[in-house]
Every structure is written in C-alpha cells, then in structure tokens.
Coordinates of all heavy atoms in Angstrom, one line a residue:
G27 N 147.2 70.3 -7.2 CA 146.0 70.2 -6.4 C 146.3 70.3 -4.9 O 145.6 71.0 -4.1
D28 N 147.4 69.6 -4.5 CA 147.8 69.6 -3.1 C 148.4 71.0 -2.7 O 148.1 71.6 -1.6 CB 148.8 68.6 -2.7 CG 148.2 67.2 -2.8 OD1 146.9 67.0 -2.7 OD2 148.9 66.2 -3.1
L29 N 149.2 71.6 -3.6 CA 149.9 72.8 -3.3 C 148.8 74.0 -3.2 O 149.1 74.8 -2.3 CB 150.8 73.2 -4.5 CG 151.4 74.5 -4.5 CD1 152.4 74.6 -3.2 CD2 152.2 74.9 -5.7
L30 N 147.8 74.0 -4.0 CA 146.8 75.1 -3.9 C 146.1 75.1 -2.6 O 145.5 76.2 -2.1 CB 145.9 75.0 -5.1 CG 146.4 75.3 -6.5 CD1 145.5 75.0 -7.5 CD2 146.9 76.8 -6.6
R31 N 146.1 74.0 -1.8 CA 145.5 74.0 -0.5 C 146.5 74.4 0.6 O 146.1 74.6 1.7 CB 145.0 72.6 -0.2 CG 143.8 72.1 -1.0 CD 143.2 70.8 -0.5 NE 144.0 69.7 -0.8 CZ 143.9 69.0 -1.9 NH1 143.0 69.3 -2.9 NH2 144.7 67.9 -2.2
L32 N 147.7 74.6 0.2 CA 148.8 75.0 1.2 C 149.3 76.4 1.1 O 150.2 76.8 1.8 CB 150.0 74.1 1.0 CG 149.8 72.6 1.3 CD1 151.1 71.8 1.0 CD2 149.4 72.4 2.8
V33 N 148.7 77.2 0.1 CA 149.1 78.6 0.0 C 148.0 79.6 0.3 O 146.9 79.2 0.2 CB 149.6 78.8 -1.5 CG1 150.9 77.9 -1.8 CG2 148.5 78.6 -2.5
R34 N 148.4 80.8 0.6 CA 147.4 81.9 0.9 C 147.7 83.0 -0.1 O 148.7 83.6 -0.2 CB 147.7 82.4 2.3 CG 146.8 83.5 2.7 CD 147.0 84.1 4.1 NE 148.3 84.7 4.3 CZ 149.3 84.2 5.0 NH1 149.1 83.1 5.7 NH2 150.5 84.8 5.1
F35 N 146.6 83.3 -0.8 CA 146.7 84.4 -1.8 C 146.3 85.7 -1.0 O 145.4 85.7 -0.2 CB 145.7 84.2 -2.9 CG 146.0 83.0 -3.9 CD1 145.5 81.8 -3.6 CD2 146.8 83.3 -5.0 CE1 145.8 80.7 -4.4 CE2 147.1 82.2 -5.8 CZ 146.6 80.9 -5.5
E36 N 147.0 86.8 -1.3 CA 146.6 88.0 -0.7 C 147.0 89.2 -1.5 O 147.8 89.1 -2.5 CB 147.4 88.1 0.7 CG 148.8 88.2 0.7 CD 149.5 88.4 2.0 OE1 148.9 88.0 3.0 OE2 150.6 89.0 2.1
K37 N 146.4 90.3 -1.2 CA 146.7 91.6 -2.0 C 146.8 92.7 -1.0 O 146.1 92.7 0.0 CB 145.6 91.9 -3.0 CG 144.2 91.9 -2.5 CD 143.2 92.0 -3.6 CE 141.7 92.0 -3.1 NZ 140.7 92.0 -4.1
R38 N 147.7 93.6 -1.3 CA 147.9 94.8 -0.4 C 146.8 95.8 -0.6 O 146.5 96.2 -1.7 CB 149.3 95.4 -0.7 CG 149.6 96.6 0.2 CD 151.1 97.0 0.0 NE 151.4 98.1 0.8 CZ 151.7 98.1 2.1 NH1 151.7 97.0 2.7 NH2 152.0 99.2 2.8
V39 N 146.2 96.3 0.5 CA 145.2 97.3 0.4 C 145.5 98.4 1.4 O 146.3 98.2 2.3 CB 143.8 96.8 0.7 CG1 143.4 95.8 -0.4 CG2 143.7 96.2 2.1
L40 N 145.0 99.6 1.2 CA 145.2 100.7 2.2 C 143.9 101.0 2.9 O 142.8 100.6 2.4 CB 145.7 101.9 1.3 CG 147.0 101.7 0.6 CD1 147.3 102.9 -0.2 CD2 148.1 101.3 1.6
P41 N 143.9 101.7 4.0 CA 142.7 102.0 4.8 C 141.6 102.6 4.0 O 140.4 102.2 4.1 CB 143.2 102.9 5.9 CG 144.6 102.6 6.0 CD 145.1 102.2 4.7
E42 N 141.9 103.5 3.0 CA 140.8 104.1 2.2 C 140.2 103.2 1.3 O 139.1 103.5 0.8 CB 141.4 105.3 1.5 CG 142.5 104.8 0.5 CD 142.8 105.9 -0.6 OE1 141.9 106.5 -1.0 OE2 144.0 106.0 -0.9
S43 N 140.8 102.0 1.0 CA 140.4 101.1 0.0 C 139.2 100.3 0.5 O 138.6 99.5 -0.3 CB 141.5 100.2 -0.5 OG 142.5 100.9 -1.0
Q44 N 138.9 100.4 1.8 CA 137.8 99.6 2.3 C 136.5 100.3 2.0 O 135.9 100.9 2.9 CB 138.0 99.4 3.8 CG 139.3 98.7 4.2 CD 139.6 98.7 5.7 OE1 138.9 99.3 6.5 NE2 140.6 97.9 6.1
Q45 N 136.1 100.3 0.8 CA 134.9 100.9 0.4 C 134.2 99.9 -0.6 O 134.6 98.8 -0.9 CB 135.3 102.1 -0.5 CG 136.3 101.8 -1.6 CD 136.7 103.1 -2.2 OE1 136.0 104.1 -2.3 NE2 137.9 103.1 -2.9
A46 N 132.9 100.3 -0.9 CA 132.1 99.4 -1.7 C 132.8 99.1 -3.1 O 133.4 100.0 -3.7 CB 130.8 100.0 -2.0
A47 N 132.7 97.8 -3.5 CA 133.3 97.4 -4.8 C 132.5 98.0 -5.9 O 131.3 98.3 -5.8 CB 133.3 95.9 -4.9
K48 N 133.2 98.2 -7.1 CA 132.6 98.8 -8.2 C 131.5 97.8 -8.7 O 131.7 96.6 -8.8 CB 133.6 99.0 -9.3 CG 134.6 100.1 -9.0 CD 135.6 100.3 -10.1 CE 136.6 101.4 -9.7 NZ 137.6 101.6 -10.8
K49 N 130.4 98.4 -9.1 CA 129.3 97.5 -9.6 C 129.4 97.4 -11.2 O 129.6 98.4 -11.9 CB 128.0 98.1 -9.2 CG 127.7 98.1 -7.7 CD 126.3 98.6 -7.4 CE 126.1 98.5 -5.9 NZ 124.7 99.0 -5.5
H50 N 129.2 96.2 -11.6 CA 129.2 95.9 -13.1 C 127.8 95.7 -13.6 O 126.9 95.2 -12.9 CB 130.2 94.8 -13.4 CG 131.6 95.0 -12.9 ND1 132.5 95.7 -13.7 CD2 132.2 94.6 -11.8 CE1 133.6 95.7 -13.0 NE2 133.5 95.0 -11.9
G51 N 127.6 95.9 -14.8 CA 126.4 95.7 -15.4 C 126.2 94.2 -15.9 O 125.3 93.8 -16.6
R52 N 127.3 93.3 -15.6 CA 127.2 91.9 -16.0 C 127.7 91.1 -14.8 O 128.4 91.6 -13.9 CB 128.1 91.7 -17.2 CG 129.5 92.3 -16.9 CD 130.5 91.9 -18.0 NE 131.8 92.5 -17.8 CZ 132.7 92.2 -16.9 NH1 132.3 91.2 -16.1 NH2 133.8 92.8 -16.7
P53 N 127.3 89.8 -14.8 CA 127.9 89.0 -13.7 C 129.4 88.8 -13.8 O 130.0 88.9 -14.8 CB 127.2 87.6 -14.0 CG 126.1 87.9 -14.9 CD 126.5 89.1 -15.7
P54 N 130.1 88.8 -12.6 CA 131.6 88.6 -12.6 C 132.0 87.3 -13.2 O 131.3 86.3 -13.1 CB 131.9 88.8 -11.1 CG 130.7 88.3 -10.4 CD 129.5 88.8 -11.3
D55 N 133.1 87.3 -13.9 CA 133.6 86.1 -14.5 C 134.5 85.3 -13.4 O 134.6 85.8 -12.2 CB 134.5 86.3 -15.8 CG 135.7 87.2 -15.5 OD1 136.1 87.3 -14.3 OD2 136.2 87.8 -16.4
E56 N 135.1 84.2 -13.7 CA 135.7 83.4 -12.8 C 136.9 84.1 -12.1 O 137.1 83.9 -10.9 CB 136.2 82.1 -13.4 CG 137.1 82.3 -14.7 CD 137.5 81.0 -15.3 OE1 137.2 79.9 -14.8 OE2 138.1 81.0 -16.4
A57 N 137.7 84.8 -12.9 CA 138.8 85.6 -12.3 C 138.4 86.6 -11.4 O 139.0 86.8 -10.3 CB 139.6 86.2 -13.4
E58 N 137.3 87.4 -11.7 CA 136.8 88.4 -10.8 C 136.2 87.8 -9.5 O 136.4 88.4 -8.4 CB 135.6 89.2 -11.5 CG 136.2 90.1 -12.7 CD 135.0 90.7 -13.5 OE1 133.9 90.1 -13.5 OE2 135.3 91.8 -14.1
R59 N 135.6 86.7 -9.6 CA 135.1 86.0 -8.4 C 136.2 85.6 -7.5 O 136.2 85.7 -6.3 CB 134.2 84.8 -8.8 CG 132.8 85.2 -9.3 CD 131.9 84.0 -9.3 NE 132.4 82.9 -10.2 CZ 132.2 82.8 -11.5 NH1 131.3 83.7 -12.1 NH2 132.6 81.8 -12.2
F60 N 137.4 85.1 -8.1 CA 138.5 84.7 -7.4 C 139.1 85.9 -6.7 O 139.5 85.7 -5.5 CB 139.5 84.0 -8.3 CG 140.8 83.7 -7.7 CD1 141.0 82.7 -6.8 CD2 141.9 84.6 -8.0 CE1 142.3 82.5 -6.1 CE2 143.2 84.3 -7.4 CZ 143.3 83.3 -6.5
I61 N 139.4 86.9 -7.4 CA 140.0 88.1 -6.8 C 139.2 88.7 -5.7 O 139.7 89.2 -4.7 CB 140.2 89.2 -8.0 CG1 141.2 88.7 -9.0 CG2 140.6 90.5 -7.4 CD1 141.4 89.5 -10.2
S62 N 137.8 88.6 -5.8 CA 137.0 89.2 -4.8 C 137.1 88.5 -3.4 O 136.8 89.1 -2.4 CB 135.5 89.1 -5.2 OG 135.0 87.9 -5.3
V63 N 137.6 87.3 -3.4 CA 137.7 86.5 -2.1 C 139.1 86.4 -1.6 O 139.4 85.8 -0.6 CB 137.0 85.1 -2.2 CG1 135.6 85.2 -2.5 CG2 137.8 84.3 -3.3
V64 N 140.1 87.0 -2.4 CA 141.5 87.0 -2.0 C 141.6 87.9 -0.7 O 141.0 88.9 -0.5 CB 142.4 87.5 -3.1 CG1 143.8 87.8 -2.6 CG2 142.5 86.5 -4.2
I65 N 142.4 87.4 0.2 CA 142.7 88.1 1.5 C 143.2 89.4 1.2 O 144.2 89.6 0.5 CB 143.6 87.2 2.4 CG1 143.0 85.9 2.8 CG2 143.9 88.0 3.7 CD1 143.9 84.9 3.5
E66 N 142.7 90.5 1.9 CA 143.2 91.8 1.8 C 144.0 92.1 3.1 O 143.5 91.8 4.2 CB 142.1 92.9 1.6 CG 141.3 92.6 0.4 CD 140.2 93.6 0.1 OE1 139.8 94.3 1.2 OE2 139.8 93.8 -1.0
S67 N 145.2 92.7 2.9 CA 146.0 93.0 4.0 C 146.7 94.4 3.9 O 147.3 94.7 2.8 CB 147.2 91.9 4.1 OG 148.0 92.2 5.2
N68 N 146.6 95.2 4.9 CA 147.3 96.4 4.9 C 148.9 96.3 5.2 O 149.7 97.1 4.9 CB 146.8 97.4 6.0 CG 147.4 98.7 6.0 OD1 147.7 99.3 4.9 ND2 147.6 99.4 7.1

C-alpha cells in the first residue's frame, strides 16, 4: 500500500501516437482504466 504511492507508472509513446484512443463497444475494464491514466512519455 505504501509502495504504490511512491512509484510512477509510465509508458513510452511517440509523437504520432497522440491520437484519439480506440473506441470500444463496451465499458473499459479495470486494467483498461488503469492503463488509460498511466503517464505517457516520449
């Protein structure tokens, strides 16, 4: 619990990747919601 407040999740993206996210026909699950808010960094 304490560790998760001390780390930063991030994922590598490229300039072209700054585009609209793919739309799904269903609500996102917990993993998709988590991934969607992870910091993006070039």
